[in-house]
Amino acid sequence: MPGKTRFISELTPGLGDMEDIFLLVRATQGKARNGPFWTLTLQDSSGQVDAKLWSPLSQSFSSFTPGQVVLVRGRTGAYQDRLQITIDGLRILNTESPGPNDPRVDMDQLTMTSEVPPENLLAKLKTLLREGLVYPPWRKLAESALNDPVISEAMLSAPGGKAIHHAYRGGLLEHTLSVCQMSRHVCEHYPQLDSQILLVAGAFHDLGKAFELVSEPAPDYTDQGRLLGHIPLGLEVLQPYLEECGADPELILHFKHILLSHHGEYEYGSPKRPKTAEAMILHYLDNMDAKLNQIASIFEDAGDSDEPLWSPYQTTLQRFLYKPKPTPDGNGKATTAKKKDNGQCSLPLKA
């Protein structure tokens, strides 16, 4: 039986009957007048889509497990201006021991990965650090940690989050590189900042995410992630390299403070609040990069259209979002730049 035939990015409301293979990312059970139903989030390499499994078919499934591969038969429609699949049939596939009539499953077609290959992102990060770090201990820290195969392999595969943003392989590196690049620009504008400590802290502020989350088969937390969280995990992983790099103890203390405080506020999961200019800058860069990536993802379905558009209500941001009509340039073309995938650590944004 043939494998995947159409990707989520190719689906539009009103396509009629469809049948294809997806990765199950999330499953939530609800209750309606005619019985229980399931809200599923399905994924392939091109994106994610919500799907509804209504009663009585829903009663055939007592539970779902994220990471299961499913064969879905249904119809495409729209709910609150977003694509949605109404499921008429669903079969959980055994990818380890497929039956003779099971479709061929290629996990690469179901796994979301950064647009730029993670290996290229890591190489760009190393180059940026090599060019920007002139203090030998900081350079030694960056080189020794990023050349550790355990750390590098974890960073290559890590997502930037579980669901809201960058929830795919390479997402962590995408965000890390973006924050480091922005830190260079900020330091050019504010030359009084310690550009080197901001750069090396930007490179490792979310290192713990590489051990807090796994990206395959679907983004989820590890036991370490649930019990400790990415901030203490990152410092724990870096501690041997900090001890060996030879940096001044006062600089190491500042470096640790920047990492510990990058979530900004206690209510956002930050062990400490930023108490230096560099710590404050990293917090804002981290949060800004996350929010802009999240907003870009929300309006991704609109493509390159310049038409104004409202989003559905965003629970994590506690608001609707608006995509305004862009200002034209002298030739009558929109002046907005093409979307660039960045983002991480999505902190609550105050209204």
Side-chain angles (χ1 to χ4, degrees):
M1 185 175 177
K4 191 165 183 61
T5 58
R6 182 178 286 171
F7 289 87
I8 290 171
S9 60
E10 301 170 328
L11 300 178
T12 57
L15 272 180
D17 294 339
M18 51 81 62
E19 185 177 48
D20 224 314
I21 303 167
F22 301 96
L23 185 71
L24 177 66
V25 176
R26 285 182 298 279
T28 305
Q29 194 169 33
K31 200 81 170 176
R33 288 185 178 180
N34 65 337
F37 67 92
W38 286 98
T39 299
L40 309 180
T41 300
L42 307 176
Q43 173 184 292
D44 62 26
S45 61
S46 72
Q48 296 181 348
V49 64
D50 287 337
K52 293 290 187 181
L53 183 61
W54 299 104
S55 185
L57 181 60
S58 62
Q59 299 179 48
S60 303
F61 300 90
S62 59
S63 65
F64 288 100
T65 302
Q68 290 176 320
V69 177
V70 294
L71 178 63
V72 170
R73 177 171 51 83
R75 295 156 285 126
T76 59
Y79 177 70
Q80 294 183 341
D81 298 323
R82 293 181 67 87
L83 179 69
Q84 186 178 89
I85 297 174
T86 298
I87 298 175
D88 297 321
L90 185 146
R91 183 155 61 95
I92 298 172
L93 301 178
N94 186 339
T95 56
E96 294 184 357
S97 302
N101 297 321
D102 284 346
R104 178 178 53 84
V105 175
D106 182 351
M107 291 304 296
D108 287 341
Q109 294 181 328
L110 304 181
T111 304
M112 294 174 62
T113 305
S114 54
E115 186 175 348
V116 177
E119 293 76 11
N120 293 3
L121 293 170
L122 181 58
K124 289 181 179 181
L125 179 63
K126 288 181 177 180
T127 298
L128 187 66
L129 293 169
R130 188 165 54 249
E131 294 173 349
L133 298 176
V134 296
Y135 180 55
W138 284 155
R139 177 174 281 197
K140 181 179 179 180
L141 171 65
E143 290 179 350
S144 59
L146 291 179
N147 287 328
D148 182 321
V150 174
I151 291 177
S152 61
E153 285 302 315
M155 291 188 75
L156 285 168
S157 63
K162 184 177 184 295
I164 297 173
H165 55 83
H166 281 79
Y168 47 81
R169 184 176 183 270
L172 173 59
L173 277 170
E174 234 176 38
H175 166 69
T176 299
L177 179 61
S178 177
V179 168
C180 288
Q181 289 170 331
M182 288 193 295
S183 77
R184 300 293 301 276
H185 293 297
V186 170
C187 289
E188 288 178 4
H189 191 75
Y190 297 100
Q192 70 271 27
L193 293 172
D194 183 340
S195 62
Q196 293 194 70
I197 201 167
L198 189 53
L199 179 60
V200 74
F204 294 114
H205 76 283
D206 274 337
L207 174 61
K209 286 277 187 181
F211 303 92
E212 180 186 42
L213 293 160
V214 292
S215 61
E216 299 174 8
D220 204 356
Y221 289 103
T222 63
D223 290 343
Q224 295 178 86
R226 292 187 187 279
L227 294 172
L228 301 178
H230 75 278
I231 295 177
L233 271 174
L235 280 174
E236 180 181 311
V237 172
L238 282 175
Q239 186 58 36
Y241 303 100
L242 287 169
E243 292 174 355
E244 295 171 1
C245 75
D248 184 288
E250 284 292 319
L251 292 177
I252 290 179
L253 180 63
H254 188 195
F255 174 85
K256 288 182 175 181
H257 170 70
I258 296 173
L259 265 62
L260 282 171
S261 64
H262 80 268
H263 272 208
E265 302 292 342
Y266 300 132
E267 59 265 36
Y268 302 161
S270 190
K272 289 292 180 182
R273 301 172 72 193
K275 296 179 177 64
T276 69
E278 289 78 11
M280 193 77 72
I281 290 294
L282 184 64
H283 161 60
Y284 284 123
L285 291 180
D286 180 49
N287 200 9
M288 179 176 68
D289 194 58
K291 291 299 179 291
L292 291 180
N293 176 262
Q294 185 178 356
I295 292 170
S297 299
I298 289 166
F299 290 113
E300 191 171 21
D301 292 342
D304 294 329
S305 173
D306 292 335
E307 293 301 312
L309 179 67
W310 279 102
S311 77
Y313 185 78
Q314 302 300 310
T315 305
T316 58
L317 298 176
Q318 299 179 349
R319 71 197 69 195
F320 294 95
L321 291 174
Y322 184 62
K323 179 179 179 290
K325 182 179 179 65
T327 302
D329 62 12
N331 298 317
K333 297 180 180 179
T335 55
T336 52
K338 294 292 184 182
K339 180 179 77 71
K340 180 181 179 181
D341 287 324
N342 298 314
Q344 223 299 80
C345 275
S346 187
L347 307 180
L349 184 66
K350 294 181 180 178

